[in-house]
């Protein structure tokens, strides 16, 4: 009797974790192409406006509806040697470098004191470091124009009351612009450096102390070098933000006859006739400088190691300040007073004065000199109500669309094997290297020539906000997606659930805190954005930031502008506390 040999049952395939040809072949085609429509959409949203800037820089005409065929020329490059361009570029570099250095000094010092010392009221110091972040820089600039203009500035009025004639302070100078920029961009340095200081392993510092190194020498030779990535990262971010900043330069530098590259671009766009092609050339120069600075920073850090966090729990070394505890706290309070308290008081005084100009503080004691009706007039006017409703609709819609788009991009990049994932991530980060004033011009031309009836509606503002804020939304979502295990989602799919249902029922609830935080971040960024809507709005689509800017530009509406700005700041401060409240609430419902 013969026996028939039997085959053993094939062993199940191992999980698809390898990266060889077998893995690529096992992925269905529909999964491979799932991300391509998203890549095409993001590319259209971001790259088309950027491409139109390049086309306009070398074209004989700017993109417009019914424009003739493309015709190229190099004549536009002559603007680079025109009067004023070199001075504007130098002013931009000086302001950006000076403000970056001062912001690093302010934010870095606050971060070190709050994270590594026994200073009094450390929790309050942390809030001091953050609070200027939630006051739009252009509102701060407007307040400082009320405080320190050479003629009618409140500080100069106070000095005249003391018998000191002549302008003592003048914010319409390079130094004035640098100081104001630094005050409102210092929180970026504070956040990044505070995080680095808080996570730093104290072993090296302790070893230096054991070998007799004085405290301040240890800080200089160990602590600060280990914080170099955070310092350089925040320096790069602040430099780029200041270099491309248009509103503060327009409010403070332009009245003093100081041009920067963003204000020069704005001047070219608003000249008669408009010089859009030359503005596009300057815009490319602006982008080139930003990209070059970013490349140099990455190259400098590429071959250096700054590992400071070990696998064990880390408790940073606390440095006793001794007799310096109170003076350091007073210095921090001084920054808080200059960046928040004094500007708010200036706006309040400007809003309640019956006359827009004041020659002496003694005039405030005269009957009828104080009038709070400006708040009522500001918040009940048709213009305010229309601008406020537009701001709410645009900001909420842009935040919702931006969050959904960022989640879709993050999911495709980090949870699928779709073609073009790397390109999708790269395109999503492109707006980070394009100044807002440049992208705003590209967006204007894009939606002027598109056959879709978008320009002149709120949708063009929503699209603009989503485009410029794509990097912030993507990074906020991507970090949480990468840190969340996908096993529960895959298990639901294996048990028969569709992938879309598994994402909606399992993945999104797991990421609810990150999604809410990203939504609120984009909401705040949309509420405070000025540069992009300045190029895209019409009389029917004005939002609060534009309304405040226009009111300040019109000196006759100074009281109403100040009242509107205070209401606007109250909204911003309220929004600044929502992420923490929602985060705390969500944290209490963990399994």
């Amino acid at each position: 009797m013969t026996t028939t040999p039997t085959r053993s049952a094939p062993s199940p395939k191992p999980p698809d974790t390898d990266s060889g040809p077998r893995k690529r072949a096992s992925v269905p085609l529909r999964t491979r192409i799932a991300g391509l429509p998203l890549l095409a959409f993001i590319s259209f949203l971001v790259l088309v406006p950027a491409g139109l800037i390049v086309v306009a820089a070398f074209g004989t005409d700017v993109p417009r509806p019914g424009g003739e065929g493309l015709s190229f020329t190099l004549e536009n490059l002559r603007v680079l040697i025109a009067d004023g361009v070199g001075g504007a570029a130098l002013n931009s570099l000086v302001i950006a470098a000076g403000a970056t250095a001062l912001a690093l000094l302010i934010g870095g010092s606050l971060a070190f004191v709050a994270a590594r010392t026994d200073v009094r009221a450390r929790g309050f110091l942390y809030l001091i470091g953050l609070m200027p972040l939630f006051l739009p820089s252009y509102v701060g600039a407007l307040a400082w124009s009320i405080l320190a203009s050479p003629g009618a500035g409140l500080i100069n009025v106070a000095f005249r009351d003391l018998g000191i004639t002549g302008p003592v302070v003048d914010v319409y100078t390079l130094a004035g612009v640098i100081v104001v920029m630094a005050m409102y961009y210092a929180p970026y340095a504070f956040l990044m450096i505070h995080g680095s200081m808080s996570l730093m392993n104290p072993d090296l510092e302790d070893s230096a102390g054991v070998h007799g190194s004085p405290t301040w020498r240890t800080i200089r030779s160990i602590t600060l070098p280990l914080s170099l990535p955070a310092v350089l990262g925040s320096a790069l971010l602040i430099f780029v933000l200041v270099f491309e900043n248009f509103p503060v330069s327009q409010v403070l530098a332009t009245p003093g006859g100081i041009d920067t590259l963003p204000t020069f671009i704005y001047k070219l766009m608003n000249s008669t006739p408009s010089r859009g092609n030359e503005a596009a050339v300057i815009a490319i120069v602006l982008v080139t400088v930003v990209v070059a600075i970013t490349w140099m920073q990455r190259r400098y850090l590429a071959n250096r190691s700054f590992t400071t966090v070990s696998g064990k729990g880390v408790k940073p070394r606390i440095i006793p300040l001794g007799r310096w505890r109170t003076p350091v706290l007073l210095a921090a309070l001084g920054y808080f007073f200059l960046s928040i308290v004094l500007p708010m008081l200036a706006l309040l005084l400007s809003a309640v004065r019956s006359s827009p100009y004041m020659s002496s503080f003694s005039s405030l004691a005269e009957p009828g000199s104080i009038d709070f009706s400006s708040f009522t007039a500001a918040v009940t006017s048709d213009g305010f109500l229309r601008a406020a409703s537009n701001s709410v609709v645009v900001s909420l819609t842009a935040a919702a669309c931006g969050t959904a788009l960022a989640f879709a991009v993050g999911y495709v990049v980090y949870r699928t094997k779709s073609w073009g994932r790397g390109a999708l991530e790269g395109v999503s980060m492109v707006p980070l290297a394009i100044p807002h004033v440049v992208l705003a011009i590209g967006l204007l031309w894009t939606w002027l020539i598109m056959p879709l009836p978008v320009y002149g509606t709120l949708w063009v503002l929503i699209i603009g906000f989503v485009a410029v804020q794509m990097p912030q939304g993507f990074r906020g979502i991507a970090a949480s997606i990468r840190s969340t295990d996908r096993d529960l989602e895959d298990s639901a799919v294996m048990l028969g659930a569709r992938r879309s249902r598994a994402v909606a029922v399992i993945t999104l609830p797991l990421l609810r805190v990150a999604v809410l935080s990203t939504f609120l971040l984009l909401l705040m960024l949309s509420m405070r954005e000025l540069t992009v809507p300045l190029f895209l709005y019409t009389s029917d689509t004005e939002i609060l930031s534009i309304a405040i800017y226009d009111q300040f530009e019109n000196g006759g509406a100074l009281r109403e502008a100040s009242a509107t700005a205070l209401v606007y700041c109250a909204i911003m401060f309220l929004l600044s506390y929502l992420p923490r409240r929602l985060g705390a609430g969500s944290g209490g419902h963990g399994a």
Side-chain angles (χ1 to χ4, degrees):
M1 181 176 182
T2 60
T3 59
T4 304
T6 60
R7 293 183 180 179
S8 59
S11 58
K13 290 184 178 180
D16 191 13
T17 57
D18 64 302
S19 57
R22 181 176 299 176
K23 179 183 178 181
R24 289 193 295 270
S26 66
V27 180
L29 178 61
R30 65 178 183 178
T31 301
R32 285 292 187 189
I33 66 174
L36 296 182
L38 190 60
L39 175 60
F41 178 75
I42 299 294
S43 299
F44 174 80
L45 199 66
V46 174
L47 298 185
V48 169
L52 289 181
I53 295 291
V54 178
V55 170
F58 297 97
T60 57
D61 199 2
V62 298
R64 58 166 54 98
E68 299 178 357
L70 294 178
S71 180
F72 296 101
T73 178
L74 297 178
E75 289 296 316
N76 300 328
L77 300 180
R78 290 183 180 274
V79 72
L80 297 177
I81 59 174
D83 291 339
V85 175
L90 180 61
N91 290 336
S92 291
L93 289 172
V94 170
I95 291 172
T100 299
L102 185 56
L104 284 176
L105 178 62
I106 296 171
S109 300
L110 270 175
F112 174 77
V113 168
R116 303 301 304 277
T117 73
D118 63 346
V119 68
R120 302 180 191 277
R122 289 176 64 189
F124 182 58
L125 252 66
Y126 186 82
L127 289 179
I128 289 176
L130 286 181
M131 287 186 71
L133 186 64
F134 305 109
L135 178 66
S137 59
Y138 69 89
V139 173
L142 295 169
W144 272 98
S145 70
I146 297 173
L147 281 167
S149 62
L154 298 180
I155 296 175
N156 289 316
V157 170
F159 277 109
R160 282 201 297 268
D161 287 344
L162 297 175
I164 302 174
T165 59
V168 177
V169 293
D170 184 359
V171 77
Y172 299 150
T173 61
L174 278 176
V177 177
I178 287 172
V179 170
V180 173
M181 290 274 203
M183 283 194 297
Y184 294 105
Y185 285 107
Y188 294 94
F190 173 82
L191 276 174
M192 297 180 71
I193 298 175
H194 185 277
S196 175
M197 293 283 186
S198 300
L199 294 174
M200 190 174 295
N201 193 317
D203 289 347
L204 291 176
E205 296 173 337
D206 291 341
S207 299
V210 168
H211 288 84
S213 175
T215 299
W216 295 110
R217 182 178 179 184
T218 301
I219 294 172
R220 186 176 66 252
S221 59
I222 296 177
T223 308
L224 293 181
L226 287 177
S227 301
L228 190 59
V231 172
L232 290 181
S234 58
L236 171 66
L237 177 62
I238 294 169
F239 183 92
V240 170
L241 291 175
V242 173
F243 188 75
E244 71 175 42
N245 184 283
F246 165 75
V248 176
S249 298
Q250 180 70 9
V251 171
L252 299 181
T254 300
I258 302 171
D259 269 331
T260 63
L261 287 180
T263 60
F264 200 87
I265 291 172
Y266 184 73
K267 185 184 298 184
L268 291 173
M269 289 293 295
N270 284 274
S271 62
T272 306
S274 178
R275 300 164 63 184
N277 299 102
E278 294 170 318
V281 173
I282 305 298
I284 291 178
V285 173
L286 202 60
V287 174
T288 301
V289 173
V290 171
V291 172
I293 295 295
T294 304
W295 177 81
M296 287 189 291
Q297 186 252 11
R298 290 183 176 178
R299 183 176 177 84
Y300 181 79
L301 293 177
N303 298 320
R304 290 167 171 78
S305 175
F306 299 90
T307 303
T308 60
V309 181
S310 64
K312 61 182 181 180
V314 174
K315 185 177 181 180
R317 183 187 184 197
I318 301 300
I319 299 171
L321 292 177
R323 61 180 181 176
W324 289 98
R325 291 183 72 194
T326 299
V328 167
L329 176 61
L330 292 176
L333 290 174
Y335 167 63
F336 177 65
F337 180 77
L338 291 175
S339 62
I340 299 294
V341 177
L342 196 58
M344 292 295 99
L345 290 176
L347 290 172
L348 178 61
L349 184 57
S350 176
V352 301
R353 285 187 330 221
S354 57
S355 172
Y357 302 103
M358 184 177 68
S359 59
S360 172
F361 275 92
S362 60
S363 63
L364 296 176
E366 299 174 359
S369 61
I370 300 297
D371 182 8
F372 286 89
S373 63
S374 59
F375 286 98
T376 304
V379 300
T380 59
S381 67
D382 292 338
F384 174 85
L385 295 176
R386 182 176 62 252
S389 62
N390 287 344
S391 291
V392 170
V393 171
V394 169
S395 299
L396 287 174
T397 308
C401 294
T403 303
L405 190 59
F407 179 84
V409 173
Y411 188 89
V412 169
V413 171
Y414 295 112
R415 286 288 179 88
T416 73
K417 301 301 179 184
S418 174
W419 287 323
R421 288 177 297 144
L424 181 59
E425 181 176 12
V427 172
S428 299
M429 298 303 294
V430 164
L432 203 61
I434 303 178
H436 284 193
V437 67
V438 177
L439 197 53
I441 297 172
L443 287 164
L444 170 65
W445 291 337
T446 299
W447 295 105
L448 278 175
I449 65 175
M450 286 295 152
L452 298 176
V454 170
Y455 184 77
T457 70
L458 294 180
W459 279 108
V460 73
L461 298 179
I462 294 168
I463 293 170
F465 288 170
V466 171
V468 300
Q469 294 161 13
M470 189 64 211
Q472 292 88 339
F474 172 70
R475 282 305 178 201
I477 294 288
S480 296
I481 289 180
R482 297 183 70 181
S483 62
T484 303
D485 199 304
R486 63 178 295 171
D487 286 349
L488 289 176
E489 179 187 323
D490 289 342
S491 298
V493 173
M494 292 178 63
L495 292 172
R498 296 179 64 88
R499 178 67 64 176
S500 58
R501 178 170 175 78
V503 171
V505 175
I506 296 175
T507 305
L508 274 175
L510 288 175
L511 298 174
R512 66 187 183 279
V513 174
V515 170
L516 281 174
S517 297
T518 301
F519 173 81
L520 290 168
L521 171 64
L522 298 183
L523 176 63
M524 291 180 60
L525 291 175
S526 299
M527 286 289 294
R528 63 185 291 168
E529 179 62 44
L530 174 63
T531 305
V532 171
L534 194 61
F535 287 87
L536 299 178
Y537 87 102
T538 63
S539 58
D540 294 328
T541 58
E542 187 179 61
I543 60 177
L544 274 178
S545 59
I546 295 295
I548 295 170
Y549 179 78
D550 284 345
Q551 287 173 336
F552 267 101
E553 287 290 295
N554 177 11
L558 187 61
R559 291 182 63 223
E560 290 76 10
S562 299
T564 306
L566 285 172
V567 175
Y568 178 69
C569 290
I571 297 172
M572 296 299 299
F573 279 118
L574 177 63
L575 289 176
S576 71
Y577 285 99
L578 288 179
R580 179 176 296 183
R581 294 291 184 184
L582 288 175
S586 297
H589 298 286

